[in-house]
Amino acid sequence: ISSPITEMDQDNLSVVLHSAGNLKLENRSIPEPGPNEVLLRMHSVGICGSDVHYWQHGRIGDFVLKKPMVLGHEASGQVIKVGSEVKHLKPGDRVAVEPGVPREMDEFFKSGRYNLSPTIFFCATPPDDGNLCRYYVHNANFCYKLPDNVTYEEGALIEPLSVGIHACRRGGVSLGSTVFICGAGPIGLVCLLVARAMGASRVVISDLSAERLQKAAELGADFPLQAQKESPAELAAKVQGLLGCLPEVTIECTGVESCIQTAIYATRSGGVVVLVGLGSEMANIPLLNAAVREVDIRGIFRYCNTWPMAITMLASGKVNVKPLVTHRFPLEQALEAFETTRQGLGVKVMLKCDKQDQSP
């Protein structure tokens, strides 16, 4: 199928990280899709904290930047060209991109937990390029068609929303659950939205920032709790005081050692702590307290099998992610957008990659 890319639109402006602190805008060639791939004209791409971390440090844990890499993994766009084997998509379709694609049918793929596959491709994780560019090729099976009433920006926000879905599933959030969320950044806020949609009856959310807690209140938190200089046990007691009981599920979104301690103390016996935030490799936690009270501690790594549920949540109106977008920049101003995110301004910064269409 011929590609409707005009002569004037041949540039493939891309946001490329060369080394720690060295972020550049470069023009790359427009790729050709393979048999099971689609070529996308990118529309909206959100900036994630991990993008900023790679920019500042050149690595996250064992993932180390060794060659130039295109950033970006929270994305949506329009299909421009399809590979010969693609049947479910056609040029003109609007899609959300799931950035993690299994490379082999290993035991994790077969058990439905493909996010744990050690060889998985993942956008903007070294050495794999992301999609913060004008044109991008992706596996068609991991591109999901958006309903007409779901915008491109909502499509891009399915990626962080998926973290919330996966965290709430791992925690067993269901009708009537009481939930405590540590951290009211973008991930804490999507966990709040999903917990509400899954039937949580009451939600406490804590943060140091009064501004972020105000946003949490607008999004449906029952008890925004501003953390002071109290000890983890004292903060846990405040959570219990607000709810009248200890919560069944705690979702820890900061990775900060003291917050992990608070999460364990604050969870009722037999409950679940879900660790979402990534902090230092080693942490001192009250493990005996968790063990004798049968508090389960569960980690999450990205997500899997979440895009269909997220699209249904958005299309039905059960979840509204639109208030999360606080800043928008054209792709040409990517460096300014990254600096805005680095400074912690607003909630979600969105880059608009399509020169002809800068709409939400």
Side-chain angles (χ1 to χ4, degrees):
I1 299 171
S2 61
S3 170
I5 300 174
T6 63
E7 285 299 319
M8 61 174 285
D9 201 24
Q10 282 292 329
D11 72 293
N12 186 18
L13 193 65
S14 306
V15 179
V16 183
L17 181 64
H18 285 258
S19 59
N22 186 11
L23 191 63
K24 294 181 179 179
L25 281 168
E26 294 179 1
N27 198 12
R28 294 193 162 191
S29 59
I30 296 174
E32 277 293 315
N36 294 298
E37 296 177 328
V38 290
L39 174 65
L40 303 176
R41 178 188 286 125
M42 302 311 297
H43 187 284
S44 297
V45 181
I47 299 177
C48 174
S50 66
D51 292 317
V52 174
H53 197 280
Y54 278 121
W55 169 39
Q56 294 294 295
H57 304 284
R59 68 181 297 161
I60 294 180
D62 293 334
F63 298 106
V64 182
L65 186 74
K66 295 179 180 177
K67 66 180 183 63
M69 177 182 75
V70 178
L71 290 174
H73 60 267
E74 302 178 1
S76 64
Q78 185 178 45
V79 176
I80 299 301
K81 196 172 184 178
V82 302
S84 58
E85 300 297 318
V86 178
K87 305 291 188 251
H88 68 289
L89 294 173
K90 63 184 185 304
D93 284 346
R94 301 161 56 252
V95 298
V97 178
E98 180 173 359
V101 180
R103 284 187 167 98
E104 56 184 306
M105 195 178 290
D106 59 15
E107 60 182 303
F108 300 105
F109 182 101
K110 285 186 270 190
S111 66
R113 302 180 74 179
Y114 56 86
N115 57 312
L116 301 179
S117 174
T119 60
I120 194 169
F121 167 92
F122 197 87
C123 292
T125 296
D128 303 327
D129 280 328
N131 44 33
L132 192 40
C133 48
R134 292 227 198 278
Y135 296 100
Y136 171 71
V137 159
H138 199 67
N139 186 306
N141 289 317
F142 289 79
C143 294
Y144 300 81
K145 191 172 178 180
L146 293 173
D148 291 341
N149 68 333
V150 177
T151 67
Y152 279 115
E153 285 189 355
E154 289 176 289
L157 288 167
I158 289 175
E159 197 278 340
L161 185 62
S162 286
V163 177
I165 292 172
H166 194 50
C168 288
R169 281 177 174 171
R170 291 277 288 156
V173 176
S174 60
L175 196 62
S177 295
T178 49
V179 178
F180 171 39
I181 298 171
C182 299
I187 295 301
L189 294 177
V190 293
C191 288
L192 163 64
L193 289 171
V194 174
R196 275 295 191 212
M198 287 185 171
S201 60
R202 290 170 296 158
V203 181
V204 179
I205 187 166
S206 65
D207 202 282
L208 294 169
S209 165
E211 184 182 7
R212 284 183 167 183
L213 290 172
Q214 176 60 38
K215 177 67 76 172
E218 293 168 11
L219 293 175
D222 298 287
F223 305 106
L225 174 60
Q226 187 163 15
Q228 308 292 338
K229 291 183 178 179
E230 62 267 83
S231 70
E234 289 169 338
L235 187 56
K238 286 186 177 181
V239 172
Q240 182 175 16
L242 290 170
L243 287 173
C245 62
L246 291 173
E248 297 155 295
V249 182
T250 297
I251 303 175
E252 206 298 301
C253 300
T254 71
V256 176
E257 184 176 272
S258 61
C259 293
I260 300 171
Q261 294 166 358
T262 299
I264 291 172
Y265 288 132
T267 305
R268 79 170 58 172
S269 297
V272 180
V273 174
V274 183
L275 301 180
V276 182
L278 298 177
S280 58
E281 185 176 352
M282 302 295 288
N284 291 306
I285 61 170
L287 198 56
L288 194 61
N289 178 284
V292 298
R293 296 193 302 112
E294 296 191 5
V295 173
D296 291 354
I297 302 173
R298 300 177 186 169
I300 74 160
F301 185 61
R302 298 169 180 160
Y303 33 67
C304 58
N305 305 304
T306 54
W307 259 251
M309 175 185 276
I311 289 171
T312 302
M313 282 178 161
L314 294 171
S316 67
K318 294 291 185 186
V319 167
N320 180 17
V321 293
K322 292 178 181 178
L324 297 177
V325 181
T326 53
H327 295 76
R328 296 175 178 86
F329 294 88
L331 185 58
E332 293 84 352
Q333 295 178 23
L335 302 183
E336 184 180 347
F338 267 79
E339 182 58 29
T340 300
T341 306
R342 189 189 69 80
Q343 293 178 20
L345 303 176
V347 180
K348 180 57 65 176
V349 176
M350 194 68 66
L351 280 156
K352 315 303 286 185
C353 302
D354 189 338
K355 286 191 291 189
Q356 270 71 50
D357 182 6
Q358 299 279 300
S359 66

